[in-house]
Amino acid sequence: MPPAHKRMSKMLGYTLTLGTSDAWSGFSDVAAARLSNEERAALAFASLRSLHPDHAELTARAAIRAAGAPVPAFLGQMDEARSWAALASRAELKSYAAAAFDALSAADQTDFFRYISEVEIAA
């Protein structure tokens, strides 16, 4: 077994023994430094496959910091939308933005184009 793999095996053992969120965070950092992308992907894949599908999905969403579907806004729609967007993954942002834009009327789409053009100029 290569020395780097032996060190990672020990690190996994220490992390499992401690079982704390700090230990797992440290394991993640060390794995990023010592394992290739392919090795880490294989480890993640094998770990997710070992879980019940519902638990695997929740775990994967938490790992990529997915926000899930936006909740209904009751008071300040823009404030709640911004809060959701701050937590959403890039894929979620793109999907919901495209779907929301498609759902707008032609007049609202024109207003939106005008708004983003003004924001772009201001930036």
Side-chain angles (χ1 to χ4, degrees):
M1 179 183 306
H5 290 169
K6 283 183 185 178
R7 287 193 296 273
M8 283 307 302
S9 295
K10 282 184 180 180
M11 181 69 182
L12 178 59
Y14 298 143
T15 302
L16 288 167
T17 299
L18 293 172
T20 64
S21 60
D22 285 342
W24 283 108
S25 180
F27 178 83
S28 178
D29 293 341
V30 172
R34 298 194 183 268
L35 297 177
S36 69
N37 284 337
E38 293 78 14
E39 290 168 331
R40 286 182 282 130
L43 184 60
F45 180 82
S47 295
L48 288 173
R49 292 229 351 148
S50 72
L51 298 172
H52 183 276
D54 291 340
H55 197 181
E57 182 180 354
L58 290 172
T59 302
R61 284 180 177 274
I64 61 171
R65 296 174 181 92
V71 295
F74 295 108
L75 299 173
Q77 285 85 358
M78 280 305 290
D79 287 340
E80 291 189 33
R82 285 187 177 105
S83 293
W84 175 84
L87 300 173
S89 68
R90 184 171 184 257
E92 288 172 321
L93 290 170
K94 290 172 69 173
S95 298
Y96 281 96
F101 181 79
D102 288 345
L104 293 173
S105 68
D108 285 341
Q109 287 180 352
T110 301
D111 289 343
F112 182 74
F113 274 128
R114 190 175 306 114
Y115 169 74
I116 61 172
S117 296
E118 291 170 3
V119 170
E120 213 173 308
I121 292 169

